[in-house]
Amino acid sequence: MIKAVTGTKDILPSDVFKWHHLEGLVRKVFNNYNYLEIRTPIFEQTSLFARGIGEETDIVSKEMYTMIDRGGTSITLKPEMTAGVVRAFIEHSLGEKSSLNKLYYISPMFRQERPQAGRLRQFHQFGAEALGSSSPFLDAEMIEMAYSIFTNLGLKDLVVKINSLGTPESREIYKNELRKFLSDKKDKLTNESKTRLEKNVLRILDSKAEQDQELLLNAPSLLDYLDESSLNDFKSVKSYLSSLNIPYEVEPKLVRGLDYYTKTTFEIISNKVGAQSSLCGGGRYDLLVQELGGKPTPGVGFAAGMERILLACENENALNLPQRQIDIFIVRLEKDLIYKVAELASYLRKNDLVIEYDYLDRSVKAQMREANRLNSKFVLFAGGEEFSRGEIVLKNLSDGTQVNFKLNNLNEIISRVK
Ligand code: HAM
C-alpha cells in the first residue's frame, strides 16, 4: 500500500473544520489591522533562499527540498515565506505604489527536518510582513496580532520572548567578544557548537544542549552591545507591549535560525506542546530588501506554525468549536420519489440551506439514523398521505415537534429553518 510521505499529513474532513476556524480568525485579525493577502508560488529559484535566509543556516544547509527541473534550473519548495514576499515586493515595485505595504499569507511550507510531534516536513504557516517603515510600533503590532489570534483561540499558557540583535556592526563586535569568551572552553562545547564557533557563533546561544548552556552562563550579553538606535527601538517595543498589557520576557539568547534579522526578534512559546514549543517567530529585517536587490526598505514580520497551534489548542482543551450540523435531511418514504426529493433538495440548497438526502436506497429507519449521525436540525418526510395531499411534514429533531407545510410554499419551510 502506498502511504503518505514521512512528515506529511492528511487533513481529514473530521479535522478540517478546525483549520477553517483558524484560517477564518487569521483573516479577520489581519483584516482588522489592514494587512492584505499575498500569494507567492510554492517553489522559487534556490538562490533566493540561499541569499535571503543565509547559506550557513540549518534551513538552507540541511533542510531544503531542492531539485533541478527539466530546464536545468535549481528550484526549491519554499521553506518559509519572507524571502518570497520580499522577492515579489521588489519584482512588482510594490514600494513605489505604496510607501508602506502590510501583507499577510497562509501557505504550506517544506523543510526536511526530523519529524516529531509539532514538526513536519510539509507544514502550514500564517504570517505577516510589513515593508517600508522602521517604526518599532510595527514590531509590537506583529506581536500583538499573533498574541491576539492565540488568545482568541483560547490558548492561555503563552510566553512572549523578545530580544534585539542590533545592527550588523554592533552584532559583529558582540560576536567577536562571544568567540573570545568561548575560545578557551572550545573543547567542552558539543561538536555542533564547535563547528558554529567560526561560521555562526550566535547560534551557539540557542543550543538546546545543557553542556553548551552551562558554558554560556557567564557569557557576555548581546543586549550590552546594542547601538543607541537599536536600544531606543527596543525600549519602544517594550513600552508599547506593556501599554497593550502583553506580558513579555526579555531573552538575550533569542537569536533565531534565519540570518536576515536586525534589531527586534521575538517568539511566542506554548508550554503545552512539548519540545516544539515555538508557536510563532519573527523579527525585523531592515537589510533584506537591499540584499535581494531592491531599494533599501526596512521590514518586519512573523510566521506561526498552524499544526503547532492546533496541537496546543488540543492539549489545552481550547478551541471549543460548535459541532457541525446540517439543516435538513430529507427522508424518502417511497423509493420512486427520488426525482421529487432531488428537486426539493436543489431548491432548498439554492436558498442557502445545508441539505442531505439518501442516495443509497436505505430503509426509513436507516435514513433516520443517518439524519441523527449527521446532526441534522430537521428532517422532512417526503411521501405518505400528506405528500399526496400536497403537504410535507417537517420534524424538529431537537424537540420532536412536527409541522405540516404546503409543498407549493417552500419559503415557509426556509424561514422556519433559518
Ligand atoms: P521560523 O521560526 O523558521 O520563522 O518559523 C516560524 C514558525 O513556523 C515556527 O515558530 C513554528 O511554529 C513553525 N514551524 C517551523 N518549522 C516547522 C516544522 N518543521 N513543522 C511545523 N511547524 C514549523 C520563519 O519562518 C520566518 N519566515 C518568520 C518571519 C517572518 N520572520 C520575519 N518575517
Side-chain angles (χ1 to χ4, degrees):
M1 203 194 97
I2 299 172
K3 292 194 164 172
V5 175
T6 309
T8 67
K9 259 195 183 155
D10 299 308
I11 301 172
L12 298 176
S14 52
D15 273 335
V16 85
F17 67 100
K18 298 180 198 163
W19 286 80
H20 290 165
H21 177 74
L22 177 55
E23 288 159 8
L25 176 64
V26 165
R27 290 183 192 283
K28 190 173 86 127
V29 170
F30 284 142
N31 184 51
N32 289 349
Y33 285 80
N34 198 27
Y35 282 69
L36 302 182
E37 186 177 3
I38 182 163
R39 300 186 188 191
T40 65
I42 289 288
F43 53 88
E44 297 270 0
Q45 295 195 42
T46 304
S47 53
L48 172 71
F49 301 118
R51 270 172 67 191
I53 302 170
E55 301 269 9
E56 299 300 332
T57 59
D58 283 354
I59 296 180
V60 173
S61 65
K62 300 189 218 164
E63 296 167 1
M64 296 206 302
Y65 281 98
T66 298
M67 65 209 94
I68 307 293
D69 73 5
R70 285 167 201 270
T73 307
S74 177
I75 57 171
T76 293
L77 301 183
K78 57 185 172 188
E80 60 106 53
M81 272 295 278
T82 313
V85 169
V86 168
R87 196 251 328 121
F89 171 85
I90 299 168
E91 191 169 333
H92 303 286
S93 309
L94 297 185
E96 278 160 36
K97 293 169 191 145
S98 164
S99 48
L100 178 62
N101 280 269
K102 304 213 286 185
L103 309 167
Y104 86 85
Y105 46 83
I106 302 177
S107 175
M109 306 289 157
F110 306 86
R111 295 184 194 176
Q112 192 157 5
E113 295 192 79
R114 205 164 38 79
Q116 62 179 89
R119 190 162 70 195
L120 290 122
R121 291 182 169 174
Q122 175 176 338
F123 59 100
H124 298 78
Q125 285 185 343
F126 65 80
E129 314 289 344
L131 290 147
S133 163
S134 50
S135 166
F137 284 85
L138 278 171
D139 306 21
E141 184 168 293
M142 293 292 163
I143 299 173
E144 187 192 5
M145 289 192 293
Y147 195 77
S148 87
I149 290 170
F150 297 159
T151 49
N152 201 306
L153 289 168
L155 292 175
K156 292 194 184 78
D157 211 347
L158 300 170
V159 184
V160 178
K161 296 194 170 181
I162 60 170
N163 190 25
S164 175
L165 297 186
T167 58
E169 295 75 29
S170 68
R171 197 154 64 224
E172 218 35 61
I173 301 172
Y174 173 72
K175 278 189 196 165
N176 284 332
E177 289 304 313
L178 186 61
R179 235 178 251 122
K180 250 190 254 165
F181 172 82
L182 288 172
S183 57
D184 58 341
K185 303 171 187 62
K186 190 175 168 183
D187 295 342
K188 295 188 194 130
L189 285 169
T190 54
N191 284 340
E192 193 167 25
S193 291
K194 253 181 229 158
T195 58
R196 283 179 164 158
L197 199 56
E198 285 314 313
K199 286 192 168 165
N200 207 350
V201 66
L202 280 187
R203 290 288 287 166
I204 299 180
L205 292 178
D206 65 7
S207 158
K208 297 265 183 309
E210 243 174 66
Q211 176 184 351
D212 292 335
Q213 284 305 328
E214 261 172 39
L215 290 177
L216 288 167
L217 277 179
N218 297 315
S221 166
L222 186 56
L223 294 174
D224 294 331
Y225 291 80
L226 290 187
D227 57 290
E228 209 181 319
S229 127
S230 302
L231 209 53
N232 285 336
D233 285 357
F234 196 44
K235 265 191 210 147
S236 303
V237 173
K238 288 189 286 186
S239 47
Y240 187 42
L241 288 178
S242 301
S243 75
L244 292 168
N245 289 321
I246 297 178
Y248 61 84
E249 288 175 12
V250 174
E251 172 51 88
K253 291 195 182 118
L254 182 69
V255 291
R256 312 249 320 117
L258 304 100
D259 279 354
Y260 46 62
Y261 292 113
T262 51
K263 296 190 173 175
T264 315
T265 54
F266 63 90
E267 283 187 7
I268 302 182
I269 310 288
S270 162
N271 291 319
K272 288 282 160 51
V273 281
Q276 300 307 314
S277 59
S278 166
L279 296 188
C280 79
R284 185 158 273 291
Y285 47 87
D286 287 346
L287 302 170
L288 183 60
V289 178
Q290 215 168 326
E291 272 158 18
L292 291 176
K295 290 194 187 126
T297 310
V300 61
F302 81 97
M306 298 171 78
E307 284 80 1
R308 277 186 207 177
I309 292 167
L310 291 175
L311 193 63
C313 288
E314 224 164 87
N315 294 347
E316 270 202 51
N317 279 328
L319 202 73
N320 292 323
L321 296 179
Q323 256 192 308
R324 179 175 164 84
Q325 287 200 295
I326 67 165
D327 292 315
I328 303 176
F329 190 98
I330 307 175
V331 171
R332 189 154 41 104
L333 302 177
E334 291 147 42
K335 284 210 166 89
D336 55 1
L337 286 177
I338 180 81
Y339 277 98
K340 269 270 166 232
V341 167
E343 213 178 281
L344 202 55
S346 168
Y347 184 83
L348 296 171
R349 284 167 174 164
K350 284 188 184 114
N351 281 281
D352 274 342
L353 291 179
V354 184
I355 306 294
E356 188 57 289
Y357 65 93
D358 175 53
Y359 308 85
L360 303 173
D361 277 343
R362 282 176 280 200
S363 67
V364 172
K365 211 168 151 197
Q367 292 182 60
M368 285 304 291
R369 257 203 310 275
E370 184 65 358
N372 283 313
R373 194 186 70 80
L374 292 174
N375 210 7
S376 189
K377 294 179 201 158
F378 293 87
V379 286
L380 268 176
F381 293 105
E385 238 178 75
E386 289 90 348
F387 208 66
S388 39
R389 278 204 316 262
E391 286 184 3
I392 191 160
V393 181
L394 178 77
K395 180 173 181 176
N396 184 332
L397 286 186
S398 60
D399 60 16
T401 53
Q402 295 196 172
V403 184
N404 286 20
F405 288 93
K406 289 257 178 303
L407 270 169
N408 61 7
N409 197 358
L410 292 176
N411 290 343
E412 274 188 22
I413 297 184
I414 294 164
S415 40
R416 171 68 62 105
V417 171
K418 271 190 177 165

